[in-house]
Amino acid sequence: MSFTTFFADKPRVAAKFDRNTLLYAVVGLHVGIAAMIGLQLGNTTFIQTTGPLMVLGTTLTPLFLLVLMFWHFVYLAIVVQPARPIHRFAADLRGLATDPSRLLNGTLSMMAVIFFFSSFSYVKDQIPHIQPFIWDSYFAQLDRSLHFGRLPHKWLMPVLGTPLITTVLNAAYHLWFFIMYFLLFMASFDQRSRAASVAFLFAMVLCFALGGNVLAIVFSSAGPVYYQEMGFGPDYVALVDTLHRFNEISPIWALDVQEKLLDSYYSDGAVKGISAMPSMHVSSTVVMTCYLFTWRRWAGWLMVGFSALILLGSVQLAWHYAVDGYLAILVALGCWWLA
């Protein structure tokens, strides 16, 4: 896969429209399971796609296209250096806009992704109703056992325990959303590296379905930030208090999200989805890393660094136990291998 191949010449319209048949089948299966869970719990509305589709169509897609056009123009100017760069750039855009095979495949794939994440979010929201949070104390103890008798954040604080570094880690956590959807968008419309792109889409769906739903239900846990609130003890109170002190100096946006999630947990509000094991931030980032290694090694290694930031941030920001991230890495590598 190459960012520049987004604008490259395509095969004729004889290309098949079923490149992601397995993806559609898995998404359909997941939506069906979510529907059965909804009926079992008495919820007739189990999937919401209007909002995500509006965000994709009005915000994300235009933004992604601007990034891609800028990238392609720079590539033409520096690498290709055509005699008439503007003419070549316009021709590439026309080729993209008049390729029905790519447009259809890409649109169907992105719609499948939106439907999947909507059903995924619904199932994730129902985890406390399906399985109470019972694993937190076990994971906290496992963290101690694996990290020489201390909780992992206590090892990190002497190195990362400053307001600015914590803000940087939180910014990486937010940037994850853009990178993930950008790569999903790229893979949906990519025609050149078909095998890698299809594998990536399938691996991401599989990763979220198995990790973020199945394992999250089996190992239902709330995470360090809610450890005391869920009745497991004061082990992480000092970490949460430190984050609040840091927030007075440099913004820690995670605190607002964590508060909204807790409010919704008690009041059935709009922002829901408390779940710790495994970390889907970590797991999805590892899948993205594997995918980028199929494009360029330097991009893969950059993503390795980003994955490390996400793993450290998941612990530093009190979202996850370290073992949440360790299992997430194994799940991601397994899903990529299977895909």
Side-chain angles (χ1 to χ4, degrees), residues 26-282:
V26 173
V27 170
L29 177 63
H30 191 276
V31 170
I33 293 173
M36 288 189 290
I37 292 174
L39 292 175
Q40 187 69 26
L41 297 176
N43 299 327
T44 55
T45 305
F46 67 94
I47 184 171
Q48 298 287 339
T49 59
T50 304
L53 284 173
M54 287 292 293
V55 173
L56 177 67
T58 62
T59 304
L60 292 180
T61 297
L63 180 59
F64 294 159
L65 289 175
L66 284 175
V67 171
L68 287 166
M69 286 190 292
F70 175 77
W71 177 282
H72 187 63
F73 187 81
V74 171
Y75 175 80
L76 289 177
I78 297 176
V79 179
V80 180
Q81 298 183 353
R84 301 172 63 187
I86 301 298
H87 178 78
R88 169 65 183 274
F89 183 71
D92 288 345
L93 289 180
R94 284 196 300 271
L96 172 65
T98 56
D99 183 353
S101 174
R102 163 176 281 197
L103 295 176
L104 178 60
N105 278 320
T107 301
L108 290 177
S109 297
M110 280 307 299
M111 289 185 67
V113 168
I114 294 298
F115 270 90
F116 169 75
F117 277 117
S118 296
S119 63
F120 161 80
S121 297
Y122 172 77
V123 175
K124 183 181 179 182
D125 294 347
Q126 306 309 313
I127 289 177
H129 303 293
I130 300 171
Q131 170 82 292
F133 299 130
I134 58 176
W135 284 90
D136 288 82
S137 60
Y138 296 98
F139 293 146
Q141 184 55 46
L142 184 57
D143 261 3
R144 283 195 181 91
S145 300
L146 293 177
H147 299 90
F148 309 102
R150 300 180 69 190
L151 292 173
H153 70 269
K154 294 184 177 180
W155 290 107
L156 294 179
M157 273 298 169
V159 181
L160 305 177
T162 69
L164 180 58
I165 291 178
T166 306
T167 296
V168 170
L169 292 173
N170 201 163
Y173 235 68
H174 281 51
L175 182 61
W176 162 86
F177 176 86
F178 175 85
I179 294 175
M180 182 182 72
Y181 271 95
F182 179 75
L183 291 180
L184 288 169
F185 183 83
M186 285 294 306
S188 294
F189 288 91
D190 177 47
Q191 292 275 50
R192 287 293 181 89
S193 303
R194 179 178 180 274
S197 294
V198 171
F200 172 64
L201 293 171
F202 182 67
M204 287 292 280
V205 167
L206 199 62
C207 185
F208 274 91
L210 295 180
N213 283 165
V214 177
L215 291 179
I217 292 172
V218 173
F219 299 112
S220 181
S221 53
V225 65
Y226 306 117
Y227 198 84
Q228 184 183 42
E229 186 69 29
M230 299 302 166
F232 295 106
D235 302 54
Y236 295 92
V237 169
L239 172 60
V240 175
D241 289 344
T242 299
L243 292 176
H244 280 279
R245 290 199 303 273
F246 286 173
N247 188 50
E248 297 174 358
I249 302 171
S250 187
I252 310 298
W253 306 285
L255 294 174
D256 292 333
V257 180
Q258 290 165 351
E259 183 178 352
K260 290 178 181 177
L261 285 171
L262 186 61
D263 289 343
S264 294
Y265 173 77
Y266 288 122
S267 62
D268 196 30
V271 183
K272 294 180 285 188
I274 292 177
S275 179
M277 171 65 85
S279 168
M280 294 316 299
H281 267 73
V282 173

